[in-house]
Amino acid sequence: MDSAELDALLTREGLALLESLGATESADDVARTVTRLRAAGHSPELVSAVVGQARLRERAVAKFGEFASRMLFTRAGLEQATRMSVSAHHAHRMRGAGIGRVADLGCGIGGDSLAFAAVGLGVLAVDADPVTAALAAYNLAPFGADVAVRSALAQDVDLADVDAVWLDPARRTAGHGETARVAASDYSPPLDWVFGLAARMPAGVKLGPGHDREALPAGEDVETQWISVDGSTVELVVWTGSLARPGVGRSALVLRGDTAHELTASADTPDEDVRELSAFVHEPEGAIIRARLVGEVARALEAGPIAPGIAYLTGDAPATSPFVSSFRVRETLPADPKPLAKALRARGIGTLEIKKRGVDIDPAALRKRLALKGPESATLLLTRVGGKRLAILADRVPRA
C-alpha cells in the first residue's frame, strides 16, 4: 500500500466500500470485484486499496480472530504481526509486573499494542513508516486517549512517561509487500541500541526463535522465553528488569488452541543419557528444544534421547506431556525407500505422517516414492542412530 491508496482508503467512502465487499477468496472473486468497482466509477487507487484490504482481512483471521474484520493491514505488517493468542500473554505479563504505560517501539500495524490496551495499559505506539503508523492509529482508535500513535524512529522517542518498552526490531527489508530477511547486524533499530535500552528499563524484546543464543544478553534480571503455537515455534522474547521473573533464566511457553503450558528453569538443563529405542518416542515442542529444556522433559517422562544431539526421546513409561508429541512404537523398518515402500504396502498403510530429525530427507519427495496404498494410517519417524538411518513406524498417542 502506498500513500495514495492509504489516502483513498481512509475516507468515509473508502471505509464504507470496504465494509460492503463480499467474499474475495479466489482470484476469480478478486477479478470480478475489481471489474465491478471500476465500472461503478471508483478510482484505481481506491479499488486497489479496498480489494487488497478485503484479502488481507481474510488472511488475518488466523492471527487476530474476530478482530480482523475491523482492522487494516499491509501485507508485510500482517506477516510480521504477533498472534493475538501470544500478545495476550505478553500483555498479562506487563500488567502483572505493575506496568502502567508501555511504549511499543516498532508497533507495526498495532497487534501487540491492541493486547496491551485491552488489559488496561496506556500505550505509546511508534513505527518509523508513516503508512504503517497510520494503519496502527486506525486499529487502535477504539481505545481513545489511552493510546497514542506516532511515526518516528524508536531512537528519537521520549520515554520519560512510560514504565516499560516493547521492542520488535525490523528483521526484514522495508516495504509494505514482499520483503526479505536481513542479518541481525542490520536490524532496525540496531540490536546494540535495543539491548542497551533493555538494560536500562523493563523491556520485552521480540526476536526470531532461531536468533543466535550467544548474542543474547544475560544476567540475573534477564529471562529468555521461546514460544510455540499449535506446533510451530513462532518467537523468542528477551524480558528484562521487572518483566523478568526472579530465578527464571529460561522458559518455554507452549500454546495449543485455548490452552497454555509453560516450563521454566534458572538456566539450560542437562540432557539425560542416551537410551535404546523403547516402547514410546516423544518429540519435544520447538520451544522446549530452543530453550534447552529437553532434559527436564525427559526426566518427567522417564525417557532419554534416542541418540546424541537428536531431539527424539524414548522410554517405556506410557506417560505423555503437553510439552511433547508422543508416539507408540510399532516396529523399525528399512530406511531405504524401496524396501520401506514394500513394507508399508504389506501393512496396508495408505495414510502416513512423515517426521524427521537428524536426516537429510525431503518428506514430500519420499512420500511420492513410497506410492502409498491401503486403508491403514501411521506415523513414520526418520532419524539417525549410531551413524545409520532408522525408520520407526509408530502411532500417535492422543493428547490428554
Side-chain angles (χ1 to χ4, degrees), residues 3-90:
S3 57
E5 291 180 349
L6 176 66
D7 291 342
L9 180 63
L10 293 179
T11 61
R12 182 173 297 179
E13 176 194 10
L15 294 172
L17 190 60
L18 173 60
E19 299 305 328
S20 71
L21 293 187
T24 54
E25 298 176 355
S26 68
D28 288 342
D29 290 336
V30 172
R32 283 192 293 267
T33 301
V34 169
T35 300
R36 175 172 58 83
L37 296 181
R38 292 292 290 122
H42 298 293
S43 70
E45 291 83 7
L46 179 56
V47 172
S48 176
V50 297
V51 173
Q53 285 301 314
R55 294 283 281 167
L56 289 171
R57 281 181 168 182
E58 290 165 6
R59 290 173 51 196
V61 171
K63 281 190 174 183
F64 291 97
E66 62 184 17
F67 292 99
S69 65
R70 52 182 183 269
M71 295 176 67
L72 299 178
F73 305 93
T74 64
R75 185 189 305 174
L78 175 57
E79 289 174 352
Q80 297 165 34
T82 306
R83 293 164 172 80
M84 284 296 288
S85 60
V86 176
S87 57
H89 282 271
H90 301 335

Side-chain angles (χ1 to χ4, degrees), residues 93-95 97 99 164-165 202-204 223 239-245:
R93 180 185 287 239
M94 291 271 186
R95 189 178 68 175
I99 302 302
V165 291
E223 176 187 341
W239 299 102
T240 69
S242 61
L243 293 171
R245 293 168 291 185

Side-chain angles (χ1 to χ4, degrees), residues 28-391:
D28 288 342
D29 290 336
V30 172
R32 283 192 293 267
T33 301
V34 169
T35 300
R36 175 172 58 83
L37 296 181
R38 292 292 290 122
H42 298 293
S43 70
E45 291 83 7
L46 179 56
V47 172
S48 176
V50 297
V51 173
Q53 285 301 314
R55 294 283 281 167
L56 289 171
R57 281 181 168 182
E58 290 165 6
R59 290 173 51 196
V61 171
K63 281 190 174 183
F64 291 97
E66 62 184 17
F67 292 99
S69 65
R70 52 182 183 269
M71 295 176 67
L72 299 178
F73 305 93
T74 64
R75 185 189 305 174
L78 175 57
E79 289 174 352
Q80 297 165 34
T82 306
R83 293 164 172 80
M84 284 296 288
S85 60
V86 176
S87 57
H89 282 271
H90 301 335
H92 284 292
R93 180 185 287 239
M94 291 271 186
R95 189 178 68 175
I99 302 302
R101 183 171 171 80
V102 57
D104 183 355
L105 303 180
C107 68
I109 51 90
D112 284 298
S113 288
L114 276 170
F116 298 150
V119 298
L121 301 181
V123 180
L124 171 59
V126 179
D127 199 274
D129 177 65
V131 170
T132 303
L135 298 184
Y138 178 89
N139 294 335
L140 294 165
F143 295 99
D146 288 337
V147 177
V149 182
R150 298 178 191 168
S151 178
L153 292 175
Q155 302 94 310
D156 296 337
V157 177
D158 182 358
L159 301 173
D161 65 343
V162 302
D163 306 310
V165 291
W166 173 257
L167 297 125
D168 186 359
R171 300 183 293 281
R172 303 184 71 90
T173 53
H176 304 141
E178 297 294 337
T179 60
R181 294 188 183 277
V182 299
S185 57
D186 295 321
Y187 286 2
S188 179
L191 278 181
D192 286 347
W193 181 86
V194 167
F195 289 144
L197 177 61
R200 298 192 298 273
M201 66 186 302
V205 180
K206 175 184 171 181
L207 299 168
H211 193 87
D212 180 6
R213 292 169 58 99
E214 300 303 317
L216 297 174
E220 292 184 359
D221 62 346
V222 176
E223 176 187 341
T224 47
Q225 179 185 54
W226 282 262
I227 302 171
S228 290
V229 179
D230 295 330
S232 297
T233 311
V234 296
E235 67 181 50
L236 156 67
V237 182
V238 178
W239 299 102
T240 69
S242 61
L243 293 171
R245 293 168 291 185
V248 178
R250 300 281 183 269
S251 60
L253 177 63
V254 175
L255 306 178
R256 283 193 176 272
D258 295 328
T259 64
H261 301 274
E262 189 177 28
L263 188 63
T264 65
S266 59
D268 298 351
T269 60
D271 289 335
E272 283 289 281
D273 293 334
V274 171
R275 298 192 184 190
E276 291 187 4
L277 180 63
S278 299
F280 294 90
V281 171
H282 310 283
E283 181 182 34
E285 287 280 347
I288 296 292
I289 297 170
R290 294 284 188 182
R292 295 186 182 170
L293 300 179
V294 173
E296 199 73 11
V297 172
R299 283 181 281 280
L301 294 172
E302 300 179 17
I306 199 168
I310 300 294
Y312 280 146
L313 304 174
T314 188
D316 287 319
T320 187
S321 157
F323 302 117
V324 301
S325 295
S326 294
F327 305 88
R328 185 185 299 273
V329 175
R330 290 193 198 179
E331 58 184 316
T332 59
L333 296 176
D336 292 336
K338 285 186 178 180
L340 177 59
K342 182 178 179 180
L344 293 172
R345 284 195 297 270
R347 289 155 179 78
I349 295 174
T351 303
L352 186 68
E353 175 188 26
I354 302 175
K355 302 179 72 65
K356 64 168 188 171
R357 285 199 175 275
V359 291
D360 185 15
I361 291 175
D362 179 352
L366 175 62
R367 184 185 306 279
K368 191 172 183 179
R369 294 185 67 182
L370 293 176
L372 300 167
K373 292 181 181 180
E376 302 300 320
S377 62
T379 296
L380 186 69
L381 306 172
L382 299 168
T383 189
R384 185 174 295 276
V385 175
K388 296 181 180 179
R389 288 183 177 180
L390 179 66

